[in-house]
Amino acid sequence: MNSQRLRGLIRKEFLQILRDPSAIAIAFVMPVFLLLLFGYGVSLDSKHVNIAVVVDHPTPETSSFLGSLQQSPYFNPIQYPSIRIARQAVMSHHVDGIIWLRSDFSRNLLQKKLAPVGLIVNGVDANNARILEGYIQGVWQNWMNQRALDSKSPLLAPLQGQIRIWFNPALRSQDYLVPGLIAIIMTLIGALLTALVVAREWERGTMEALMASPVTMGEILVGKLVPYFIMGMGGMLLSVAMALFLFKVPLVGSFWVLLLFSTLFLLAALGMGLLISSVARNQFVAGQIAIIVTFLPAFILSGFIFDIRSTPLPIQVITHLFAARYFVASLQTLFLAGDIWPILLWNGLALIIMALFFLGVTWRRSHKRLD
Amino acid sequence: MAPFTQKTGLMLTRIWALVIKEFLALLQDKKSRFVLIVPPLIQLIVFGYAATFDLNHIPYAIYNEDSGFASRELLGHFQGSPDFQQVAVIEKEGQIAPLVNDQKALLVLHIGPRFTSDLLLHHPSPVQVIIDGRNSNTANLALNDVNSIFLSFDTNWAADHNWGGFPVQLAITSWFNPNLLSRWFIVPGIIALLTLVITLLVTGLSVAREREQGTFDQLLVTPMTPAEILIGKAIPGLVIGFLEGGFIALVAVLWFHVPFMGSLSALILGLFLFLLAAIGVGLMISSLALTQQQGLLGVFLFLVPAIILSGFATPIANMPELVQDLTYANPMRYFLIIVRGVFLEGDGVSLLWPQYWPLILIALVSMISASWLFRYRI
Amino acid sequence: MVGSPLQFLDVAKKFKRSKGEVQALQRLSFHLAYGQIIGLLGPDGAGKSTLMRMAAGLLLPDSGQVLVFGIDTFSPDNRIQSQIGFMPQRFGLYEDLTVQENLDLYSDLQGLNKEESQKRQQELLALTALDPFSKRYARALSGGMKQKLGLACALLRSPRLLLLDEPTVGVDPIARRELWEIIKALKEEGTTILISTAYFDEVERCDEVILLHEGQLLGQKTPGEFLSPLSNHTYLVNRKDSSRRQLQEELRFRQGVIDARIFTEGVRVLCMDLQIHPASGENWVPVPPTFEDAFVSLLGQKNVLADSPELPTRILPRHEINPEVVIEVNELKHFFGTFEAVKGVSFQVRKGQIFGLLGANGAGKTTTFRMLCGLLPVSAGILRVAGVDMRRASTSARALMGYVSQKFSLYGNLSCNQNLSFFSAAYGLKGKERRQRIDCALQEFQLSDYRDVNTDDLPLGIKQRLALACALLHDPLILFLDEPTSGVDPLARREFWQRVNGLAEGGVTILITTHFMDEAEYCDNLVLMSRGEVLAQGSPVEIRSKARNDVCSQPSMEDAFIYLIQEHEAVIRRFS
C-alpha cells in the first residue's frame, strides 16, 4: 500500500460523495427518515384497541367492570346493543374483539359460580390476538382482586405470580425494535453505498483508467472502503443518538463496545456490497441483487422482529448466513442487557469471520485485469 | 366504423410488439430470469417458516426451594406443556443471572421454601417468574403462557383442596384462526410481500434503463402513444406478478395448509388491482428517474416503508396517527386486508369493496403521471 | 529487439461471448520504434482496443508475450504502469470532479511529489489550454476539452509510451486539430505514441501505420509506403450533364473501378489497374492517392459491399422527387431553464435532399435535432415536418419519420431479428407485409448472418447497419441521422453513405449531423451552428467559399469549419 496513492483515491471518493447528493442522502438522510418512520411506526404495543362490549343485562357489577375496562389504556370499549350487531362489527374490522357479559353474569359472580365472561377475538392477526387476550386477562384479574380487597375477603387465587421482567420491565416493544431497526437500516446503507460505486466505475470506464495507473487493486478497494466506512459510521452514530435521545432506549452496555460492534458489522456489510458490485459490474444487476439479499433477509431472518428461537431448526441454520442476525442480537443485548460477553464474544467472532470472508473474497476476485 | 377498427388494430399490433419485446428483454437474459424466479421461491419457503411469532419450547429454568408436593405438582404442569422446555435446575440465587443474561433460559421459575405449607394453610402463595425482556414480544407471549399454566394449576388446586368457589373465568374464542397460529397470518402476507417486490423489480427500472441506453428515444419517435407504451410496459409485470402471486397462493394452501375460506374471484380481483397499483408506482418511479441508480434508490425508498408500514408484521393500528395516515397511500396495506380477509375470514367481493377502490385510485394516479412523465421528464 | 517501447510476440487473445468465442487477436507480432507516432488503423472488431489494453497490461495474452520496455505484462509489479500513459476510449475522467481534482488524483496515483506535480500540472494546463477552466467540473467540459483533460491525466508522469485509444471519436475538427498539436509536441520530447483512429487524415500524420484486420497484422509501414503502389490509380471524374450522385452510382459498377466517392469537385475514382476507362462526356483528371484509397484497396476486396452490386433496391422507397419543402424551421428556440440552447434557428429542407447539421460540440445541434424529431418540446418558433406542426400533432408526423440515434440505440439483449420484429410492429406493420419487409431488410443490409446474434455482441458497424434497417422498415419519408458514423470504421462509413445516397436518390429526405468533414461534402445543403445560432447556410461549395481568404485559397471543409467558428467566437468575445 502506497500512502500517497491511497490518499489520492480516498480524497477522490470523498469529493465524489460531496458532489453527489444521493450518497449523502443514503448515509445521513435515510437513517433519520427510516428510523423516524419505523421507530414510531413499528410497534407491537397495542393501545386503545377498539373492543365491542355487549351487556345483556346491566347491573352494578357490569358497570363496575366496564369502568375498569375504560380506565385501561389498552382498550377503547364500545357498547353494542346485541351480540349480532357486535359480530358484524368484527366482520367489518371495526372492532378487534367482543367482551360478552351474559344476563347471568352478576348472579353467578355473587354465587362464585363459574360464570364465563365470553371473550371473542378476531384471530387473523394471531400475535395481536394473543396480546389482546393477555391484556383482557390482566384487566379481569385486577378487577377481581380489587373486588376481593373491597369486600375484605381473602385473596382468591392460590398462586400469586410475581413477575420480574428483566432488561425491559415495561415490555416496551420500541426498546427492542429500535436497536434491531438500526441493524436493518445499516444493512441497507452499507450495501447500497458500496454496491453501486464499483459497478459505476466499471460502467463509466474510469476503472480502466485507474488500472492503467500504477495503483494496486488492494489500494482501489481500501480507497473505496475507507470513505464509505466513515460515512456509514456517521449514519450509525446518528441512529444511535436518535435511539437514545428520541426514542429513549436505554444503553446499558458500554458505548465503546457498541462502537466496536458497529465497526465489525459495517465492515461486513460494506464488504458484501463491494462483492456484489465487483461480481455484477453493472449497476442494474448489482441493484437487483442488493434488493434481494439485503433488505428482506435482514427484515425477516435477523431476529429483528421474528424471534429466531421460534423458527424450525433448518431456518435457524440459514439465519447464520446473514450478518444482520449477529448484529441484531448484539445490539439488543448491548442496549438492554449490557456487556454480556458470552453472547457478545460469539456474535462478534461471527461478524469478524463474515467481514473477513466478504473482504477476502472481493480482494481475491479483483485482479488488475479487465477480463 | 372501418377506420376505427383499423386504428385499434394498429394500436393492438404496436402494444403486442412492445409486450413481446419486454418479455424477451426480461426473460432471455439468464441472470435476470434467475433473479425473477429463483429468489422469490426460496424466500417464500424460508420466510414462510421463519416469519412466526408462535413460541414453542420456551427454555426455562427452575429454582425450587420447596420440597413439598405442591411445588412438584406445579412443575409437573410446566413439564407436561409442549410450550415449555426445561433447560436447567438451579440451587442458588446467583445462578439465575448468568442463565438469563446469556439467553440460555428465557424465564426462571422461583418457588419459595414455604410454598406447599402456605397453600395447605389456604394462604395464597407467591411464585416468582423472572423473564428476559429483551424481546418484549416474546416475553409478553411467554408470560401469557405462564399465566394460563398458573390458571390451570389454580383450578385444579381449588377443586382438589376445597379452596372454595373459584372466580369467574374468561371463556376465550378466537374467530377465523382458532389456534392462533401466526403462520396463518404471515403466509398470506408473503403473497403480498413477494408480489410487490417482483413487480417493482420488473417495472421499477424498465423506463430508466431504456432512457440510459437511449432506446427510449427510439420508442418515442415511433407512432406509439404514451398510453400504448404504458400498457405495453405494464402487461409483462401483470403477467409475471399474476403467475408468481398465484403460485405463492397455491403453496400457501397446499404446503403451508393455510385455510382458504373466501371467494376466489375476490382474491383474483384483489391481486389484479394490487398489481395495477404496484406497476403504476413502479413505472412512475422509473420514469421519474433519469438513471438506473436513481431508479434503484427510488424503488428502495418506496419498497422498504411500503413493507414495514403495511401491517405485514406489526399492526397499523399501533402506529401514530400521522404514520397511519401515510399508510393510506400504500397499496400493500389494502391488499394485505384483502388476502387475509379472503383466506381466513371468508370475505367476498362485496365486503372488500372499501379495499378495492383505493387500489384503483392509486393505480390511476400513478399510471397517468407515469405516462405524462414519459415525454416530459427530460 | 530488447527494450523496444512495445513488442508483441505471437500474441493471441480470445473472448467469451454469449454464443461461442471471438478470436480478437491471432498470432500478432510487431514492435514499435522509439520516439515515433504510430497510427493503429483497422475496421471495427479488428482488435484495436484489445491491442491497446494488452499494451497497457489490462488484458493478458492467451498465448505469446507482450513486452513493454522489455518487461513482460505478466509480471505482477506495476513497473509497466509507471512508464506508460493510457487514455481509454471514454477518457476515464471523473465527471463529478473538477479539472484540477482530476489532475490531482492522477498525480497522486502516479506518485508525483507536490512540487513535481505542481510544475507538471502547470505545464500540462498550459499545453492543453485548460488553464482557465481548472475549477470547472469535468462533466461541464465540451467533448474536445474532456479529451484534452484525459490526455493531460495520462501525461502527468511524462510517460515514455503513450497509448491513445480512439481519442478523437465524437470530437469536433477544432479540438482534433488542437490534439494533434499536443501530440506533435510530445513527439519532440521523445515520447513514443501509439494512437488508434478512424480518421484517414490523422493516419497520414503518423510516422508509421499498423493496419489491423480481424486480429491480424496486414502491414506496418510508413504512410508513404502504403500510398506509393497507388500512384496513378486515382482520378477525379466529372460529367457535365449528370449529378455527382448519379455519376458515382454509374462509376462504382464500372469494370476495373474499385471505389468511387463524391467530392465537391467531382467523383473520385480508384482504379484497379493503370488503364483508364473514361466514357464519353467524362473528364478524368489524375489526383494524388490518399490513405483512404490505400485502406480501401487493401481491405476493400474483403468488404461485402463489393459482392452486392445492386445494393439499395427493394426495401428502399421510391418517393416522387419534387422541390416540395418537407421540413420548415423558423425562428426555432429552446430553453433549458433560463439557458437559451437554440437561439432562433431558421432553415428549410426540400424533399430528397441530404441536409447536414454541423457544429462544434455544444453548438446546439443535438437540441435542434431532438426538437425536429419531436423528442424535445419547442420553446418558441415554427417547426413543420411533412406539413405537420410538431407543436401540436407530432404523433402523426412520427409515422413518416425514421430515426437513428447517436448510440445506435437498439435493445442490446435482443437479437437482430427480434429488434427488427419489434420496430416493424411499433410502426404498425402487420402480417405478410411485415414479414416481407423484415426479410428484405435482413437481405438488403446483409444481416442474415447475424439474425440470431444479440445486438450487444455485434461490431459497431453492423449495429449501425441494423439501426438504419430498423429506421427504414416503415418506408419513412424523412430520415433523421444523429452522428450515425461516430466511432464507426472507415469501411462501414463508406458503405453507410452509399446507402444514404441511394435513399436520397429514391426521394427520401435525410437530415444528418456529423463530425466528419468529408461527410459534409456528401450533403446537398448544410447548416453550420455555433452557440445556438446559425453561422452559415448553403451548399458545401458555398460554405467553403465563405472561408476563402488570403491565407487559404482552396479551403477544405475542415478549414472552412474552423475558420467560420473561430471568427464567430472572436466576434462574440469582442462584444462581451
mmCIF file with all atom_site columns, all heavy atoms in Angstrom, chain C residues 510-527:
data_model
loop_
_atom_site.group_PDB
_atom_site.id
_atom_site.type_symbol
_atom_site.label_atom_id
_atom_site.label_alt_id
_atom_site.label_comp_id
_atom_site.label_asym_id
_atom_site.label_entity_id
_atom_site.label_seq_id
_atom_site.pdbx_PDB_ins_code
_atom_site.Cartn_x
_atom_site.Cartn_y
_atom_site.Cartn_z
_atom_site.occupancy
_atom_site.B_iso_or_equiv
_atom_site.pdbx_formal_charge
_atom_site.auth_seq_id
_atom_site.auth_comp_id
_atom_site.auth_asym_id
_atom_site.auth_atom_id
_atom_site.pdbx_PDB_model_num
ATOM 1   N N   . ILE C 1 510 ? -33.180 13.473 -46.032 1.00 0.00 ? 510 ILE C N   1
ATOM 2   C CA  . ILE C 1 510 ? -32.286 12.999 -44.972 1.00 0.00 ? 510 ILE C CA  1
ATOM 3   C C   . ILE C 1 510 ? -31.687 14.179 -44.228 1.00 0.00 ? 510 ILE C C   1
ATOM 4   O O   . ILE C 1 510 ? -31.142 15.105 -44.827 1.00 0.00 ? 510 ILE C O   1
ATOM 5   C CB  . ILE C 1 510 ? -31.180 12.121 -45.568 1.00 0.00 ? 510 ILE C CB  1
ATOM 6   C CG1 . ILE C 1 510 ? -31.802 10.784 -46.014 1.00 0.00 ? 510 ILE C CG1 1
ATOM 7   C CG2 . ILE C 1 510 ? -30.099 11.841 -44.536 1.00 0.00 ? 510 ILE C CG2 1
ATOM 8   C CD1 . ILE C 1 510 ? -31.091 10.133 -47.127 1.00 0.00 ? 510 ILE C CD1 1
ATOM 9   N N   . LEU C 1 511 ? -31.825 14.124 -42.921 1.00 0.00 ? 511 LEU C N   1
ATOM 10  C CA  . LEU C 1 511 ? -31.237 15.142 -42.071 1.00 0.00 ? 511 LEU C CA  1
ATOM 11  C C   . LEU C 1 511 ? -30.158 14.474 -41.245 1.00 0.00 ? 511 LEU C C   1
ATOM 12  O O   . LEU C 1 511 ? -30.422 13.478 -40.585 1.00 0.00 ? 511 LEU C O   1
ATOM 13  C CB  . LEU C 1 511 ? -32.307 15.708 -41.148 1.00 0.00 ? 511 LEU C CB  1
ATOM 14  C CG  . LEU C 1 511 ? -32.083 17.168 -40.820 1.00 0.00 ? 511 LEU C CG  1
ATOM 15  C CD1 . LEU C 1 511 ? -32.758 18.000 -41.873 1.00 0.00 ? 511 LEU C CD1 1
ATOM 16  C CD2 . LEU C 1 511 ? -32.618 17.495 -39.464 1.00 0.00 ? 511 LEU C CD2 1
ATOM 17  N N   . ILE C 1 512 ? -28.960 15.026 -41.276 1.00 0.00 ? 512 ILE C N   1
ATOM 18  C CA  . ILE C 1 512 ? -27.859 14.304 -40.655 1.00 0.00 ? 512 ILE C CA  1
ATOM 19  C C   . ILE C 1 512 ? -26.964 15.257 -39.885 1.00 0.00 ? 512 ILE C C   1
ATOM 20  O O   . ILE C 1 512 ? -26.773 16.401 -40.286 1.00 0.00 ? 512 ILE C O   1
ATOM 21  C CB  . ILE C 1 512 ? -27.066 13.534 -41.743 1.00 0.00 ? 512 ILE C CB  1
ATOM 22  C CG1 . ILE C 1 512 ? -26.014 12.630 -41.118 1.00 0.00 ? 512 ILE C CG1 1
ATOM 23  C CG2 . ILE C 1 512 ? -26.445 14.483 -42.764 1.00 0.00 ? 512 ILE C CG2 1
ATOM 24  C CD1 . ILE C 1 512 ? -25.471 11.613 -42.094 1.00 0.00 ? 512 ILE C CD1 1
ATOM 25  N N   . THR C 1 513 ? -26.439 14.799 -38.744 1.00 0.00 ? 513 THR C N   1
ATOM 26  C CA  . THR C 1 513 ? -25.393 15.559 -38.064 1.00 0.00 ? 513 THR C CA  1
ATOM 27  C C   . THR C 1 513 ? -24.123 14.731 -38.112 1.00 0.00 ? 513 THR C C   1
ATOM 28  O O   . THR C 1 513 ? -24.192 13.506 -38.084 1.00 0.00 ? 513 THR C O   1
ATOM 29  C CB  . THR C 1 513 ? -25.730 15.823 -36.583 1.00 0.00 ? 513 THR C CB  1
ATOM 30  O OG1 . THR C 1 513 ? -25.744 14.572 -35.905 1.00 0.00 ? 513 THR C OG1 1
ATOM 31  C CG2 . THR C 1 513 ? -27.050 16.495 -36.423 1.00 0.00 ? 513 THR C CG2 1
ATOM 32  N N   . THR C 1 514 ? -22.992 15.384 -38.188 1.00 0.00 ? 514 THR C N   1
ATOM 33  C CA  . THR C 1 514 ? -21.750 14.632 -38.261 1.00 0.00 ? 514 THR C CA  1
ATOM 34  C C   . THR C 1 514 ? -20.576 15.485 -37.813 1.00 0.00 ? 514 THR C C   1
ATOM 35  O O   . THR C 1 514 ? -20.645 16.706 -37.798 1.00 0.00 ? 514 THR C O   1
ATOM 36  C CB  . THR C 1 514 ? -21.496 14.108 -39.690 1.00 0.00 ? 514 THR C CB  1
ATOM 37  O OG1 . THR C 1 514 ? -20.279 13.391 -39.704 1.00 0.00 ? 514 THR C OG1 1
ATOM 38  C CG2 . THR C 1 514 ? -21.403 15.249 -40.680 1.00 0.00 ? 514 THR C CG2 1
ATOM 39  N N   . HIS C 1 515 ? -19.490 14.796 -37.421 1.00 0.00 ? 515 HIS C N   1
ATOM 40  C CA  . HIS C 1 515 ? -18.246 15.473 -37.102 1.00 0.00 ? 515 HIS C CA  1
ATOM 41  C C   . HIS C 1 515 ? -17.217 15.265 -38.192 1.00 0.00 ? 515 HIS C C   1
ATOM 42  O O   . HIS C 1 515 ? -16.135 15.833 -38.151 1.00 0.00 ? 515 HIS C O   1
ATOM 43  C CB  . HIS C 1 515 ? -17.671 14.950 -35.792 1.00 0.00 ? 515 HIS C CB  1
ATOM 44  C CG  . HIS C 1 515 ? -18.279 15.592 -34.599 1.00 0.00 ? 515 HIS C CG  1
ATOM 45  N ND1 . HIS C 1 515 ? -18.430 16.950 -34.505 1.00 0.00 ? 515 HIS C ND1 1
ATOM 46  C CD2 . HIS C 1 515 ? -18.782 15.079 -33.461 1.00 0.00 ? 515 HIS C CD2 1
ATOM 47  C CE1 . HIS C 1 515 ? -18.991 17.231 -33.365 1.00 0.00 ? 515 HIS C CE1 1
ATOM 48  N NE2 . HIS C 1 515 ? -19.217 16.114 -32.706 1.00 0.00 ? 515 HIS C NE2 1
ATOM 49  N N   . PHE C 1 516 ? -17.525 14.392 -39.132 1.00 0.00 ? 516 PHE C N   1
ATOM 50  C CA  . PHE C 1 516 ? -16.577 14.133 -40.212 1.00 0.00 ? 516 PHE C CA  1
ATOM 51  C C   . PHE C 1 516 ? -16.796 15.146 -41.327 1.00 0.00 ? 516 PHE C C   1
ATOM 52  O O   . PHE C 1 516 ? -17.859 15.186 -41.925 1.00 0.00 ? 516 PHE C O   1
ATOM 53  C CB  . PHE C 1 516 ? -16.783 12.718 -40.764 1.00 0.00 ? 516 PHE C CB  1
ATOM 54  C CG  . PHE C 1 516 ? -16.396 11.631 -39.828 1.00 0.00 ? 516 PHE C CG  1
ATOM 55  C CD1 . PHE C 1 516 ? -17.317 11.065 -38.970 1.00 0.00 ? 516 PHE C CD1 1
ATOM 56  C CD2 . PHE C 1 516 ? -15.093 11.162 -39.803 1.00 0.00 ? 516 PHE C CD2 1
ATOM 57  C CE1 . PHE C 1 516 ? -16.954 10.065 -38.108 1.00 0.00 ? 516 PHE C CE1 1
ATOM 58  C CE2 . PHE C 1 516 ? -14.734 10.143 -38.928 1.00 0.00 ? 516 PHE C CE2 1
ATOM 59  C CZ  . PHE C 1 516 ? -15.656 9.597  -38.083 1.00 0.00 ? 516 PHE C CZ  1
ATOM 60  N N   . MET C 1 517 ? -15.768 15.929 -41.564 1.00 0.00 ? 517 MET C N   1
ATOM 61  C CA  . MET C 1 517 ? -15.946 16.982 -42.557 1.00 0.00 ? 517 MET C CA  1
ATOM 62  C C   . MET C 1 517 ? -16.026 16.427 -43.975 1.00 0.00 ? 517 MET C C   1
ATOM 63  O O   . MET C 1 517 ? -16.631 17.014 -44.854 1.00 0.00 ? 517 MET C O   1
ATOM 64  C CB  . MET C 1 517 ? -14.804 17.994 -42.459 1.00 0.00 ? 517 MET C CB  1
ATOM 65  C CG  . MET C 1 517 ? -14.900 18.842 -41.217 1.00 0.00 ? 517 MET C CG  1
ATOM 66  S SD  . MET C 1 517 ? -16.483 19.696 -41.133 1.00 0.00 ? 517 MET C SD  1
ATOM 67  C CE  . MET C 1 517 ? -17.077 19.165 -39.550 1.00 0.00 ? 517 MET C CE  1
ATOM 68  N N   . ASP C 1 518 ? -15.388 15.263 -44.209 1.00 0.00 ? 518 ASP C N   1
ATOM 69  C CA  . ASP C 1 518 ? -15.527 14.693 -45.551 1.00 0.00 ? 518 ASP C CA  1
ATOM 70  C C   . ASP C 1 518 ? -16.970 14.278 -45.803 1.00 0.00 ? 518 ASP C C   1
ATOM 71  O O   . ASP C 1 518 ? -17.446 14.288 -46.918 1.00 0.00 ? 518 ASP C O   1
ATOM 72  C CB  . ASP C 1 518 ? -14.571 13.502 -45.738 1.00 0.00 ? 518 ASP C CB  1
ATOM 73  C CG  . ASP C 1 518 ? -14.801 12.418 -44.702 1.00 0.00 ? 518 ASP C CG  1
ATOM 74  O OD1 . ASP C 1 518 ? -15.293 12.756 -43.603 1.00 0.00 ? 518 ASP C OD1 1
ATOM 75  O OD2 . ASP C 1 518 ? -14.511 11.257 -44.988 1.00 0.00 ? 518 ASP C OD2 1
ATOM 76  N N   . GLU C 1 519 ? -17.677 13.937 -44.742 1.00 0.00 ? 519 GLU C N   1
ATOM 77  C CA  . GLU C 1 519 ? -19.078 13.568 -44.920 1.00 0.00 ? 519 GLU C CA  1
ATOM 78  C C   . GLU C 1 519 ? -19.933 14.774 -45.271 1.00 0.00 ? 519 GLU C C   1
ATOM 79  O O   . GLU C 1 519 ? -20.947 14.647 -45.943 1.00 0.00 ? 519 GLU C O   1
ATOM 80  C CB  . GLU C 1 519 ? -19.617 12.906 -43.648 1.00 0.00 ? 519 GLU C CB  1
ATOM 81  C CG  . GLU C 1 519 ? -18.978 11.557 -43.385 1.00 0.00 ? 519 GLU C CG  1
ATOM 82  C CD  . GLU C 1 519 ? -19.583 10.861 -42.189 1.00 0.00 ? 519 GLU C CD  1
ATOM 83  O OE1 . GLU C 1 519 ? -20.336 11.507 -41.443 1.00 0.00 ? 519 GLU C OE1 1
ATOM 84  O OE2 . GLU C 1 519 ? -19.296 9.673  -42.011 1.00 0.00 ? 519 GLU C OE2 1
ATOM 85  N N   . ALA C 1 520 ? -19.513 15.926 -44.771 1.00 0.00 ? 520 ALA C N   1
ATOM 86  C CA  . ALA C 1 520 ? -20.271 17.130 -45.069 1.00 0.00 ? 520 ALA C CA  1
ATOM 87  C C   . ALA C 1 520 ? -20.323 17.346 -46.585 1.00 0.00 ? 520 ALA C C   1
ATOM 88  O O   . ALA C 1 520 ? -21.277 17.909 -47.117 1.00 0.00 ? 520 ALA C O   1
ATOM 89  C CB  . ALA C 1 520 ? -19.642 18.329 -44.380 1.00 0.00 ? 520 ALA C CB  1
ATOM 90  N N   . GLU C 1 521 ? -19.283 16.869 -47.268 1.00 0.00 ? 521 GLU C N   1
ATOM 91  C CA  . GLU C 1 521 ? -19.250 17.023 -48.726 1.00 0.00 ? 521 GLU C CA  1
ATOM 92  C C   . GLU C 1 521 ? -20.399 16.291 -49.401 1.00 0.00 ? 521 GLU C C   1
ATOM 93  O O   . GLU C 1 521 ? -20.801 16.627 -50.503 1.00 0.00 ? 521 GLU C O   1
ATOM 94  C CB  . GLU C 1 521 ? -17.924 16.467 -49.269 1.00 0.00 ? 521 GLU C CB  1
ATOM 95  C CG  . GLU C 1 521 ? -16.693 17.133 -48.701 1.00 0.00 ? 521 GLU C CG  1
ATOM 96  C CD  . GLU C 1 521 ? -16.287 18.348 -49.509 1.00 0.00 ? 521 GLU C CD  1
ATOM 97  O OE1 . GLU C 1 521 ? -16.916 18.607 -50.545 1.00 0.00 ? 521 GLU C OE1 1
ATOM 98  O OE2 . GLU C 1 521 ? -15.348 19.042 -49.084 1.00 0.00 ? 521 GLU C OE2 1
ATOM 99  N N   . TYR C 1 522 ? -20.877 15.255 -48.771 1.00 0.00 ? 522 TYR C N   1
ATOM 100 C CA  . TYR C 1 522 ? -21.949 14.470 -49.387 1.00 0.00 ? 522 TYR C CA  1
ATOM 101 C C   . TYR C 1 522 ? -23.282 15.199 -49.345 1.00 0.00 ? 522 TYR C C   1
ATOM 102 O O   . TYR C 1 522 ? -24.214 14.822 -50.013 1.00 0.00 ? 522 TYR C O   1
ATOM 103 C CB  . TYR C 1 522 ? -22.132 13.146 -48.640 1.00 0.00 ? 522 TYR C CB  1
ATOM 104 C CG  . TYR C 1 522 ? -21.030 12.136 -48.841 1.00 0.00 ? 522 TYR C CG  1
ATOM 105 C CD1 . TYR C 1 522 ? -20.138 11.844 -47.828 1.00 0.00 ? 522 TYR C CD1 1
ATOM 106 C CD2 . TYR C 1 522 ? -20.906 11.453 -50.040 1.00 0.00 ? 522 TYR C CD2 1
ATOM 107 C CE1 . TYR C 1 522 ? -19.144 10.902 -47.991 1.00 0.00 ? 522 TYR C CE1 1
ATOM 108 C CE2 . TYR C 1 522 ? -19.911 10.520 -50.217 1.00 0.00 ? 522 TYR C CE2 1
ATOM 109 C CZ  . TYR C 1 522 ? -19.031 10.241 -49.191 1.00 0.00 ? 522 TYR C CZ  1
ATOM 110 O OH  . TYR C 1 522 ? -18.066 9.310  -49.361 1.00 0.00 ? 522 TYR C OH  1
ATOM 111 N N   . CYS C 1 523 ? -23.372 16.212 -48.505 1.00 0.00 ? 523 CYS C N   1
ATOM 112 C CA  . CYS C 1 523 ? -24.670 16.852 -48.302 1.00 0.00 ? 523 CYS C CA  1
ATOM 113 C C   . CYS C 1 523 ? -24.983 17.814 -49.433 1.00 0.00 ? 523 CYS C C   1
ATOM 114 O O   . CYS C 1 523 ? -24.102 18.391 -50.046 1.00 0.00 ? 523 CYS C O   1
ATOM 115 C CB  . CYS C 1 523 ? -24.688 17.617 -46.982 1.00 0.00 ? 523 CYS C CB  1
ATOM 116 S SG  . CYS C 1 523 ? -24.428 16.561 -45.583 1.00 0.00 ? 523 CYS C SG  1
ATOM 117 N N   . ASP C 1 524 ? -26.284 17.969 -49.706 1.00 0.00 ? 524 ASP C N   1
ATOM 118 C CA  . ASP C 1 524 ? -26.693 18.962 -50.689 1.00 0.00 ? 524 ASP C CA  1
ATOM 119 C C   . ASP C 1 524 ? -26.684 20.343 -50.062 1.00 0.00 ? 524 ASP C C   1
ATOM 120 O O   . ASP C 1 524 ? -26.379 21.328 -50.710 1.00 0.00 ? 524 ASP C O   1
ATOM 121 C CB  . ASP C 1 524 ? -28.115 18.657 -51.174 1.00 0.00 ? 524 ASP C CB  1
ATOM 122 C CG  . ASP C 1 524 ? -28.168 17.325 -51.888 1.00 0.00 ? 524 ASP C CG  1
ATOM 123 O OD1 . ASP C 1 524 ? -27.440 17.152 -52.862 1.00 0.00 ? 524 ASP C OD1 1
ATOM 124 O OD2 . ASP C 1 524 ? -28.917 16.440 -51.424 1.00 0.00 ? 524 ASP C OD2 1
ATOM 125 N N   . ASN C 1 525 ? -27.051 20.393 -48.822 1.00 0.00 ? 525 ASN C N   1
ATOM 126 C CA  . ASN C 1 525 ? -27.128 21.665 -48.126 1.00 0.00 ? 525 ASN C CA  1
ATOM 127 C C   . ASN C 1 525 ? -26.636 21.490 -46.702 1.00 0.00 ? 525 ASN C C   1
ATOM 128 O O   . ASN C 1 525 ? -26.797 20.427 -46.112 1.00 0.00 ? 525 ASN C O   1
ATOM 129 C CB  . ASN C 1 525 ? -28.576 22.152 -48.090 1.00 0.00 ? 525 ASN C CB  1
ATOM 130 C CG  . ASN C 1 525 ? -28.782 23.267 -49.061 1.00 0.00 ? 525 ASN C CG  1
ATOM 131 O OD1 . ASN C 1 525 ? -27.993 24.217 -49.113 1.00 0.00 ? 525 ASN C OD1 1
ATOM 132 N ND2 . ASN C 1 525 ? -29.828 23.157 -49.859 1.00 0.00 ? 525 ASN C ND2 1
ATOM 133 N N   . LEU C 1 526 ? -26.073 22.538 -46.166 1.00 0.00 ? 526 LEU C N   1
ATOM 134 C CA  . LEU C 1 526 ? -25.502 22.456 -44.825 1.00 0.00 ? 526 LEU C CA  1
ATOM 135 C C   . LEU C 1 526 ? -25.964 23.635 -43.996 1.00 0.00 ? 526 LEU C C   1
ATOM 136 O O   . LEU C 1 526 ? -26.221 24.710 -44.516 1.00 0.00 ? 526 LEU C O   1
ATOM 137 C CB  . LEU C 1 526 ? -23.974 22.538 -44.895 1.00 0.00 ? 526 LEU C CB  1
ATOM 138 C CG  . LEU C 1 526 ? -23.219 21.369 -45.491 1.00 0.00 ? 526 LEU C CG  1
ATOM 139 C CD1 . LEU C 1 526 ? -21.769 21.746 -45.630 1.00 0.00 ? 526 LEU C CD1 1
ATOM 140 C CD2 . LEU C 1 526 ? -23.376 20.158 -44.593 1.00 0.00 ? 526 LEU C CD2 1
ATOM 141 N N   . VAL C 1 527 ? -26.041 23.383 -42.700 1.00 0.00 ? 527 VAL C N   1
ATOM 142 C CA  . VAL C 1 527 ? -26.202 24.482 -41.753 1.00 0.00 ? 527 VAL C CA  1
ATOM 143 C C   . VAL C 1 527 ? -25.062 24.352 -40.768 1.00 0.00 ? 527 VAL C C   1
ATOM 144 O O   . VAL C 1 527 ? -24.824 23.274 -40.235 1.00 0.00 ? 527 VAL C O   1
ATOM 145 C CB  . VAL C 1 527 ? -27.565 24.397 -41.026 1.00 0.00 ? 527 VAL C CB  1
ATOM 146 C CG1 . VAL C 1 527 ? -27.514 25.174 -39.741 1.00 0.00 ? 527 VAL C CG1 1
ATOM 147 C CG2 . VAL C 1 527 ? -28.655 24.947 -41.905 1.00 0.00 ? 527 VAL C CG2 1
#
